[in-house]
Amino acid sequence: MKNKFLSLIVPVYYEQEVLEMSFARMDAAMKDIGYPYEIIYVNDGSRDGTMDKLRQIARDNPHVKVLSFSRNFGHQLAVTAGMDIAKGDALIIIDVDLQDPPEVIAEMVKKWEDGGEIVYGKRVKREGETIFKKFTAFCYYRLLSAMSAYPIPLDTGDFRLIGRKVADVFLSMRERSRFLRGMSAWMGFETVPVEYVRNERAAGKTKYTLKKMLKLAFDGITGFSSRPLTLAGWLGMFVIALSMFGLLALIILALTVGVRPWLWALDALLLLHGITLVFLGIQGAYMGRMYDELKGRPLYIVKEKINI
Ligand code: UDP
Ligand code: MG
């Protein structure tokens, strides 16, 4: 059992304040688990002292690998780059700022050994974050889960362990707008939660600006659902139905008490707008299909083969 290899993937962006402390704790936690391991840092275009610190850590620790981007490509791509070069039988993705406690990894590894292919951290509590962040996160996870055709577990970030089989599927999905949580949900597989308390950032400030958060939120919804595209169609049908009722009412009124002529025009307008919306929705449906083709995801994912 002890011949498994683990890869820890850590994206870093302007994190010179927290790096050393973070490495010490993660390294200790990984050592405790008992398997051989590597720690892969991906520098997502930081221009402070982050790279110097990483060079130093890598010099003293041959199991530390460092990838450095030419510019900021974003957290999701940094994680992807780390996954591309990871050699492990299991890959663990963790933020550098110690908000996700490294000690939880041992528990994740246990669940993986028990057969979990994706073991994700579920936040039962978030400490040291603003009410605004907690509230937007709470609403967003629920909206996302309502929009997505595949169940995305609530209140989970990217802190997770994925087995080799799952990692290989990830590597075959090369879409540009990446939302790793949603991609995991799309893949299926045996998914197991590990509950933990999300701590305060150990040092430094959040690197997820409102703009980055909005982009991620938007990628999450647009990447996993074509519902927004077909929304117009449903609205259009509703408007057409409304205009039909209106027409009926107008005819009855015209035959009894009489109606003002502009009401006919209003009803015709409603009908025309409804028709336009329906056609927008139909176009949306085609666009959704094109978008699916463009992503070029595998058609299906085989989990097990017998006698083949
Ligand atoms: N990060 C990154 N690129 C970015 C933004 C963030 O690699 O453009 C890294 C960051 O260094 C950290 C992780 O992504 O390891 C999560 O970022 P942060 O802790 O700032 O986000 P928050 O926890 O506040 O949502
Ligand atoms: Mg953080």
Side-chain angles (χ1 to χ4, degrees):
M1 225 21 209
K2 287 283 160 191
N3 53 1
K4 298 241 166 75
F5 187 68
L6 304 178
S7 302
L8 187 68
I9 299 165
V10 194
V12 278
Y13 185 52
Y14 285 89
E15 302 282 11
Q16 58 181 7
E17 296 96 340
V18 80
L19 246 180
E20 277 149 343
M21 186 192 338
S22 167
F23 170 70
R25 231 175 99 191
M26 288 185 188
D27 200 43
M30 291 303 285
K31 209 171 275 159
D32 276 351
I33 296 173
Y35 290 134
Y37 63 94
E38 61 183 353
I39 300 183
I40 301 172
Y41 285 104
V42 184
N43 171 26
D44 186 13
S46 332
R47 299 200 191 286
D48 60 347
T50 298
M51 233 6 234
D52 289 337
K53 292 240 157 76
L54 284 178
R55 276 198 193 94
Q56 203 177 323
I57 294 172
R59 196 182 319 123
D60 304 336
N61 302 278
H63 63 289
V64 168
K65 298 171 186 165
V66 179
L67 260 180
S68 184
F69 283 175
S70 60
R71 64 163 168 87
N72 182 238
F73 281 88
H75 172 233
Q76 303 282 305
L77 290 176
V79 171
T80 303
M83 288 169 66
D84 281 344
I85 62 158
K87 300 238 161 43
D89 300 300
L91 279 50
I92 302 118
I93 298 155
I94 192 168
D95 287 354
V96 72
D97 59 6
L98 298 174
Q99 281 195 283
D100 312 321
E103 294 71 30
V104 176
I105 298 171
E107 223 176 304
M108 290 182 160
V109 170
K110 227 168 261 138
K111 294 253 159 97
W112 168 61
E113 288 169 334
D114 292 344
E117 282 146 326
I118 301 177
V119 187
Y120 64 94
K122 183 171 167 58
R123 306 159 177 172
V124 286
K125 202 164 152 226
R126 301 167 77 112
E127 279 174 357
E129 284 180 302
T130 58
I131 304 265
F132 175 73
K133 175 116 186 187
K134 281 188 205 170
F135 179 72
T136 48
F138 180 87
C139 296
Y140 176 65
Y141 286 135
R142 272 134 197 100
L143 172 72
L144 183 65
S145 139
M147 291 289 249
S148 169
Y150 318 96
I152 297 181
L154 296 172
D155 305 317
T156 60
D158 288 319
F159 181 33
R160 61 187 57 220
L161 175 152
I162 61 178
R164 178 38 65 190
K165 224 182 301 167
V166 180
D168 285 340
V169 178
F170 254 117
L171 299 190
S172 73
M173 290 162 78
R174 302 314 286 182
E175 58 212 68
R176 277 157 196 282
S177 294
R178 299 175 81 77
F179 185 65
L180 303 174
R181 276 163 251 182
M183 291 162 73
S184 301
W186 179 84
M187 285 193 265
F189 286 108
E190 200 68 24
T191 311
V192 191
V194 166
E195 295 191 340
Y196 74 103
V197 175
R198 187 156 159 99
N199 291 318
E200 208 168 324
R201 206 174 220 286
K205 281 202 298 268
T206 176
K207 305 301 175 306
Y208 256 95
T209 54
L210 189 62
K211 197 173 138 206
K212 279 192 172 158
M213 226 152 68
L214 286 175
K215 181 183 180 310
L216 184 69
F218 198 68
D219 281 351
I221 289 174
T222 52
F224 289 88
S225 156
S226 31
R227 270 179 215 173
L229 281 175
T230 44
L231 219 57
W234 294 110
L235 190 65
M237 304 246 229
F238 175 74
V239 171
I240 290 176
L242 206 65
S243 77
M244 288 299 160
F245 277 120
L247 187 65
L248 203 68
L250 285 179
I251 290 172
I252 293 169
L253 287 177
L255 293 177
T256 53
V257 290
V259 285
R260 290 170 195 226
W262 59 268
L263 279 173
W264 295 104
L266 189 71
D267 197 62
L269 215 62
L270 211 56
L271 180 67
L272 287 176
H273 275 305
I275 293 174
T276 314
L277 280 172
V278 165
F279 278 94
L280 272 178
I282 293 176
Q283 286 195 4
Y286 280 97
M287 270 162 64
R289 278 167 184 67
M290 280 194 258
Y291 179 52
D292 272 346
E293 297 291 342
L294 273 177
K295 278 190 283 199
R297 288 192 188 162
L299 296 181
Y300 51 81
I301 301 164
V302 176
K303 192 174 131 178
E304 203 180 325
K305 293 181 190 169
I306 295 174
N307 285 349
I308 291 171

